[in-house]
Amino acid sequence: MARLAERHAPQLLAVVGIGPDTAATLLITMGDNSERLGSEASFAALCGVSPVERSSGIRQYRRLNRGERQANAALHRIVQTRLRCDPRTQEYYERRIKQGKTRREIVRCLKRYAAREVFHLVMAMQS
């Protein structure tokens, strides 16, 4: 699987946090559902990282949509790796913590950013 990911998506493997297994999972998700992917928002919804408004009556917040669980897990691995290794992500995390966001909210935002980046990389490879 690693060789296939290297052959078909070398640009994807060059991104921080994306390894061969993660790349293969995301490529399979996109390939199986190519007719449904009109925009980055539709890819985010497919992966289960599009925000859904929720309300407890007092507090308004967002949670993640339920989507393709394997793709969601792949994006979660990307975010966790970036939180450990990527200085830009660590700076973003610290800035959002100071704004009063919870870790769960920050990870939700980072998953959405990762989905956006993957979508644009794969679409650039196809054209």
Side-chain angles (χ1 to χ4, degrees):
M1 189 173 340
R3 279 185 263 139
L4 288 173
E6 289 171 6
R7 185 180 316 142
H8 294 288
Q11 301 92 339
L12 202 57
L13 294 173
V15 176
V16 174
I18 300 180
D21 292 341
T22 303
T25 301
L26 293 170
L27 289 171
I28 289 168
T29 300
M30 290 183 88
D32 286 347
N33 299 289
S34 59
E35 68 280 352
R36 294 171 53 186
L37 298 178
S39 67
E40 68 184 39
S42 63
F43 178 64
L46 177 66
C47 292
V49 295
S50 60
V52 176
E53 297 292 331
R54 299 287 298 181
S55 173
S56 65
I58 297 171
R59 181 170 177 238
Q60 295 270 335
Y61 63 98
R62 294 181 178 100
R63 69 165 178 80
L64 290 180
N65 181 8
R66 302 287 184 232
E68 173 76 30
R69 300 310 300 159
Q70 295 297 321
N72 190 298
L75 291 171
H76 187 77
R77 285 190 300 272
I78 292 169
V79 168
Q80 295 304 316
T81 302
R82 287 180 178 182
L83 281 170
R84 282 193 313 270
C85 304
D86 186 30
R88 287 184 332 164
T89 305
Q90 292 166 352
E91 290 170 11
Y92 176 84
Y93 180 82
E94 292 301 322
R95 187 173 69 245
R96 297 296 285 209
I97 285 289
K98 288 178 184 171
Q99 293 174 352
K101 299 292 182 188
T102 64
R103 182 176 176 86
R104 178 177 281 178
E105 291 170 326
I106 297 167
V107 168
R108 180 190 58 77
C109 293
L110 288 169
K111 280 184 178 182
R112 183 66 166 91
Y113 290 141
R116 181 179 298 131
E117 185 176 7
V118 167
F119 177 79
H120 287 296
L121 281 171
V122 172
M123 288 300 154
M125 289 183 323
Q126 291 179 356
S127 53

